[in-house]
C-alpha cells in the first residue's frame, strides 16, 4: 500500500488512457473492501488521516463540533485503504517534508533565562513585538513583494491571525456606538468569521453575513476581504461601497506557492500568518501590517487585554523560520536545500494537476478555473494553486456533497459553512503526501 | 553607585541606629539631586527601571493607558540615582538570575519541522495541549502539593492565565441567559479583572464589582477568588453564598516562594501561570485544572475560537522549565544549582525583611502583617512573602500615595485600581536586584 501511494505521483504524468485503466483496476480491487468502506470505522492508522480538524471548523459550535470531535482518531502505523481521509481542516502538514530538509538554519535554541519579561520593545507601538521577528517579517515582504512595509506602517504580532482579526474588529468599532457594527464578507466567506465574530455576543460588533447586497449607506460597517479567498482561491477586492466602512484584508494565502504576486498590497490592515505562509500552524504566530498608528495601538490594546502579549518563544521561532526562507532565496545556500517558494510552487502545482486529472476522469465533480497571471516574484506567468480545493458535486441525485463524500470516508467542509450551497465542499490541499494520495485514490474510485 | 547598591542588602542586617545614620547621610547627599528628581525625566538607563508596565495595568484603558505608555523608557547603561523606578507592574524579572545558573537542563532546542500541526493530542479534552507539558504540570503539583491533579480532572492550557480567566467566564456563563452573568471579586481585587471582563461588552457576562455585599440570592454569578490575593497577599476563600454561583480560583501565587503550602487545593477551576511560578512571563503559558469535563470542553472551545490553540513552542519551553524545577528538587542535581523554591524563598525572604526594615525606619508607611503557617512542602513553619507589597502611606497630608511616590520617581499602582482607597499602592517585589535596591534606597531617603 505504501509503495502504491509513493508511486501515485508519477501516475499524474501518465497519459489519460493509462490512468483510466489503472483506475478501473483499482476500482475492481476495491470492490472487495466496499462493505468495510461504508459500514465500518477503523481505528485510524495515521495521525494525519483521522484527525478531525476542529481548529478551523469554528462555525461548528457546541453540539455540531462535538459530533466531529468524536470522529477524531489517532494511530501510529501505516495507512490502510479504508482509513478515514480527513481534509476538512487546513492543517498545513504538507510543509513538514520541506522543513525536515533544512538543518540548523531553522532550529531555535532558547536558554532558560531568555525573554522572560512581558516586554519586548517598549518603544514599539506593539510593546510585545520581538524586534528580530519584526525585522524578518519586513525582510520577507521585501523579498516577495506581496505587501508594503516601508511606508512607516506598524507591525502588530498576534497569537495567529485569528486573534488579530478580533483585534481589528475591536480597533475599528466605536466603543460608544448605539449599535454593534455590522461585520460582513462576500460569500463564500471563511467559515470561521461568523462564530469568531459572535461567540462573545459583543455589543461592539456583530456578524451580518454576505457583503454582497449589504447597503452602502452611511452606517458604519467592517468588510472582511480574504484574498486569495478561503475557500475558493479567487483574488478579491472590497465590494461594499459605504461612506463609513472599514476593511480588513486577510492575505494569509497571498504567497507565491498559491498565487501570482501581481502587486505590493497596500491596504489599511493586512493580516498574515505563518500557518499558511511557512506551514507552522502550531506556533500560533500571525502579524498585521497597519497603516494608521492609532488603529495599531488599539489592536495592541486588544491583545494586551486578551492575552497580555504574544509568546516570545514562538516569535523567535517564527523569526528563525522566516530568516531561513529569505536566506535560502537571497543567498546561494550550499546545503542542497530547495528554495522554499520553489518547493511550495512545485508541490502545489503537482497536487493541483493530479487533482484536476482525477476530477476530469470521474466526470462527477468540478473545480474552479483560474486565469494565469504574471508573478513579479517568480518573474514569469504562474498558475493559481489554492490551499483549498472548492469542489462541487455535479452528480444527479447528490445534493449534499459533504455527506456524499463522508459516506466514502472523505471528510470535507460543506459550502453551508461558507454561506453558500451544499453542492460545494472545501478540501484541504495541504495535508501530508500519503493523505493526499489516498484522497486522490479514493476520489478516483468513487 | 553600583557598588553602593550591591552593598545595600548587608545594611538590612545592621542595627537600626547605624541604618538611621546611613539614611541621614544618604539623604543629605541626595538633596543635591532633588531638583532633578522632581523636575527632570532622564532617558532611562536600564530596561527594568523605566519600563512602564501596561501589561498588568489593564484597567487603565484608552487614554489613561497612553499616559503611562509615554513614560516607558529603555536604555542600556548602569542605573543612576535619579532613574525612574517602575514597580507598577508585576514583571517577574527577578527570576532571571536563577535561570542564568541553570545550564542546558532549562534550554529548549526546536528543529524547524517540529510541532507544525494545530493539533497536539486529539484524545485529550484540550486537543492543543502538549502531553509533555501536561505531564510536567502534574508532576510539579505532586511535588509541591499545592493542587489536586490525580482525581481525573482536566488540564486546559492557555496563552497565560488571562486567557484562561476569560475562557472560564465563557464556560460558566449560560449562552442564552436573559442578562449577562455578574462577575464579582472581593476588594481589593486584581486590577485587571474589571477591564478584561468588560472590554468586549459581552452579553454573556459583566463586571459587577466587590463580592463583599453581593446578594447571595438565586441569580447566577461568578466569583473570582485570588489566593494568595493580588494585591495584598492574603489567603482567601469564596465569600458570596448564593445558590447559583460558580467560582474561579486564581492560584497564580500559591507557590512556596510566596506562601506556606497548607493544603492541596481542590476547587472546581484553578488557574496557574508560569509568569509567577517560574518567572517566565514572556512565554505566555498558563494552565487550568478543571474538575468538570464539560466546563473544560467549553474552556477549550473558547481558546479554539479566540486563538485556535496555544503556542506549542512555549508549551515545550514551559515543560522544560517545570521539568528543571522538579528534577532539581527530586534528584541530587550535581551541577551546583540551587533548588528553585529554596532560591525563591531565600530571595523573597531577603527582600521582605529589607523592605520591612526600611518601612519601619521611615515611619511613613505600613505593610500588611501575615501569620506564619506550617508549609507542607518545606516541612516547617514559613512566613508569607507576597509577590507584591501592599503599601499604605501613613503620612498626614498625603492622600494619594501613588502620586506622592511618583513625585519621587517611584511608579506604583494606586489602590483605586483594586477597588479601594488611594492611600494604598501595590509595589512589585519581583523586579531585578538593582531595581529593587534602588527602590529601597529611594524609599529610605523620602
Amino acid at each position: 500500500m505504501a509503495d502504491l501511494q509513493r508511486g501515485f505521483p508519477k501516475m499524474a504524468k501518465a497519459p489519460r488512457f493509462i490512468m483510466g485503466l489503472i483506475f478501473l483496476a483499482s476500482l475492481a480491487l476495491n470492490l472487495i473492501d466496499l462493505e468495510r468502506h461504508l459500514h465500518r470505522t477503523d481505528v485510524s492508522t495515521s495521525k494525519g488521516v483521522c484527525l478531525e480538524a476542529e481548529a478551523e471548523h469554528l462555525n461548528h459550535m457546541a453540539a455540531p463540533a462535538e459530533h466531529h470531535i468524536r470522529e477524531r482518531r489517532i494511530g501510529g502505523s501505516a495507512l490502510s485503504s479504508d482509513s478515514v481521509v480527513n481534509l476538512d481542516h487546513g492543517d498545513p502538514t504538507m510543509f513538514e517534508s520541506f522543513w525536515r530538509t533544512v538543518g540548523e538554519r531553522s532550529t531555535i535554541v532558547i536558554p532558560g533565562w531568555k525573554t522572560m519579561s512581558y516586554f519586548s520593545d517598549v518603544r514599539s507601538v506593539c510593546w510585545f513585538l520581538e524586534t528580530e521577528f519584526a525585522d524578518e517579517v519586513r525582510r520577507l515582504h521585501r523579498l516577495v513583494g506581496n505587501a508594503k512595509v516601508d511606508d512607516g506602517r506598524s507591525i502588530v504580532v498576534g497569537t495567529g491571525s485569528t486573534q488579530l482579526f478580533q483585534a481589528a474588529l475591536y480597533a475599528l468599532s466605536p466603543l460608544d456606538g448605539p449599535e454593534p457594527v455590522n461585520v460582513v464578507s462576500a460569500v463564500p466567506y471563511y467559515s470561521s468569521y461568523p462564530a469568531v465574530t459572535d461567540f462573545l455576543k459583543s455589543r461592539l460588533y456583530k456578524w451580518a453575513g454576505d457583503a454582497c447586497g449589504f447597503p452602502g449607506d452611511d452606517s458604519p460597517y467592517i468588510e472582511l476581504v480574504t484574498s486569495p479567498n478561503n475557500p475558493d482561491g479567487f483574488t478579491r477586492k472590497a465590494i461594499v461601497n459605504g461612506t463609513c466602512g472599514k476593511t480588513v484584508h486577510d492575505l494569509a494565502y497571498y504567497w507565491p506557492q498559491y498565487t501570482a504576486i501581481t502587486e505590493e498590497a497596500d491596504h489599511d490592515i493586512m493580516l498574515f500568518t505563518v500557518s499558511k505562509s511557512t506551514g507552522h500552524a502550531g506556533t500560533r504566530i500571525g502579524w498585521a501590517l497597519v497603516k494608521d498608528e492609532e488603529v495599531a495601538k488599539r489592536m495592541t490594546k486588544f491583545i494586551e487585554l486578551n492575552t497580555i502579549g504574544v509568546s516570545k518563544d514562538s516569535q523567535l521561532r517564527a523569526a528563525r523560520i522566516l530568516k531561513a526562507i529569505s536566506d535560502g532565496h537571497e543567498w546561494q545556500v550550499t546545503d542542497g536545500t530547495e528554495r522554499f517558494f520553489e518547493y511550495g510552487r512545485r508541490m502545489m502545482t503537482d497536487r493541483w494537476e493530479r487533482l484536476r486529472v482525477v476530477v476530469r476522469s470521474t466526470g462527477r465533480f468540478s473545480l474552479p478555473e483560474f486565469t494565469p497571471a504574471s508573478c513579479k516574484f517568480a518573474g514569469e506567468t504562474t498558475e493559481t494553486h489554492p490551499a483549498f480545493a472548492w469542489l462541487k458535486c455535479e452528480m444527479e441525485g447528490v445534493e449534499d456533497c459533504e455527506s456524499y463524500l463522508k459516506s466514502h470516508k472523505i471528510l470535507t467542509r460543506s459550502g453551508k459553512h461558507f454561506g453558500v450551497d451544499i453542492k460545494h465542499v472545501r478540501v484541504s490541499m495541504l495535508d501530508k503526501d500519503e493523505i493526499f494520495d489516498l484522497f486522490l485514490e479514493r476520489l478516483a474510485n468513487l
Side-chain angles (χ1 to χ4, degrees), chain A residues 156-339:
Chain A
V156 180
V157 65
T159 311
S161 59
T162 297
Q163 187 180 38
L164 289 163
F165 161 63
Q166 292 160 82
L169 296 186
Y170 175 77
L172 298 177
S173 301
L175 281 179
D176 50 0
E179 292 289 326
V181 172
N182 286 309
V183 179
V184 298
S185 188
V187 296
Y189 45 69
Y190 175 33
S191 51
S192 295
Y193 286 155
V196 173
T197 304
D198 280 347
F199 78 116
L200 289 175
K201 299 193 175 183
S202 173
R203 289 188 184 87
L204 301 180
Y205 46 75
K206 71 167 200 288
W207 178 248
D210 191 4
C212 189
F214 187 78
D217 57 17
D218 57 358
S219 59
Y221 69 90
I222 298 169
E223 180 176 356
L224 312 172
V225 185
T226 309
S227 181
N229 191 39
N230 174 356
D232 65 12
F234 286 105
T235 298
R236 289 192 154 194
K237 291 194 184 306
I239 59 166
V240 187
N241 200 15
T243 51
C244 296
K246 313 269 188 184
T247 54
V248 178
H249 281 75
D250 182 347
L251 304 186
Y253 303 96
Y254 191 43
W255 295 99
Q257 64 267 49
Y258 305 121
T259 193
I261 304 303
T262 54
E263 60 177 0
E264 235 182 0
D266 181 23
H267 308 290
D268 290 347
I269 301 178
M270 301 186 281
L271 307 184
F272 293 91
T273 165
V274 290
S275 299
K276 308 308 179 193
S277 54
T278 76
H280 291 82
T283 66
R284 311 305 314 118
I285 291 291
W287 64 95
L289 305 178
V290 185
K291 213 177 260 184
D292 180 338
E293 190 171 301
E294 290 308 311
V295 172
K297 280 181 185 167
R298 280 188 56 77
M299 289 179 70
T300 299
K301 191 74 195 171
F302 175 94
I303 294 171
E304 179 182 316
L305 289 160
N306 188 205
T307 54
I308 320 187
V310 173
S311 162
K312 305 274 182 284
D313 314 307
S314 282
Q315 289 188 63
L316 294 180
R317 186 173 187 203
R320 185 85 175 155
I321 294 294
L322 299 189
K323 182 176 187 301
I325 292 175
S326 294
D327 285 353
H329 281 270
E330 290 182 347
W331 301 353
Q332 290 298 327
V333 174
T334 54
D335 61 5
T337 312
E338 194 174 5
R339 292 173 174 202

Side-chain angles (χ1 to χ4, degrees), chain A residues 11 14-27 357 361 444:
Chain A
M11 287 162 57
R16 284 186 64 184
F17 77 93
I18 296 178
M19 289 206 62
L21 285 174
I22 293 170
F23 290 155
L24 282 173
S26 179
L27 181 62
V357 166
S361 75

Side-chain angles (χ1 to χ4, degrees), chain A residues 23-96:
Chain A
F23 290 155
L24 282 173
S26 179
L27 181 62
L29 287 168
N30 274 280
L31 281 172
I32 300 159
D33 282 337
L34 192 60
E35 186 66 17
R36 282 196 298 161
H37 272 236
L38 293 172
H39 301 294
R40 211 196 79 196
T41 304
D42 66 328
V43 174
S44 166
T45 49
S46 160
K47 190 176 178 186
V49 163
C50 295
L51 265 178
E52 174 62 14
E54 282 310 303
E56 277 213 330
H57 210 159
L58 302 181
N59 59 344
H60 289 195
M61 289 182 76
E66 303 314 317
H67 153 75
H68 276 257
I69 283 168
R70 277 197 301 274
E71 295 196 37
R72 290 177 181 165
R73 298 287 186 278
I74 195 163
S77 57
L79 293 179
S80 75
S81 61
D82 65 347
S83 295
V84 173
V85 175
N86 188 337
L87 297 169
D88 165 65
H89 56 288
D91 207 20
T93 47
M94 176 189 91
F95 295 100
E96 189 184 309

